[in-house]
Amino acid sequence: MSRQQAIEERLRAAFTPTHLTVENESHQHSVAPGSETHFAVVVVSDAFAGAGLVARHRKVNAALEPLFAEGLHALRIRAATP
């Protein structure tokens, strides 16, 4: 399974999003071709209701914590409610 697929699975399981996009942006950075180290995610979920920006980002980072230990380096996050 690719890291992108793993990110998608973890975010779907954690937030049951109404909208989810995961984009590999590694090619925009100084990494080896084919790398999966830098991603942008857009997660729209009721799970973020009442949470501020920092809290939303912390929730997303927590859901992906094991992937950071496996080589995920950077994550650009947009977390919103429907």
Side-chain angles (χ1 to χ4, degrees), residues 64-82:
L64 301 178
E65 185 175 353
L67 300 179
F68 281 102
E70 297 172 359
L72 176 59
H73 177 71
L75 192 62
R76 186 165 52 93
I77 302 168
R78 179 167 173 237
T81 54

Side-chain angles (χ1 to χ4, degrees), residues 23-31 38 76:
E23 182 180 348
N24 185 347
E25 295 185 335
S26 301
H27 65 280
Q28 298 173 3
H29 301 274
S30 297
V31 297
H38 296 70
R76 186 165 52 93

Side-chain angles (χ1 to χ4, degrees), residues 1 4-20 22 43-48 59-60 62-64 66-67:
M1 171 185 322
Q4 182 167 347
Q5 290 170 320
I7 291 169
E8 290 171 357
E9 282 188 10
R10 286 186 162 276
L11 294 177
R12 285 188 199 287
F15 304 111
T16 315
T18 57
H19 176 81
L20 175 65
V22 178
V43 186
V44 179
S45 172
D46 288 325
F48 300 124
K59 287 181 179 192
V60 171
L64 301 178
L67 300 179

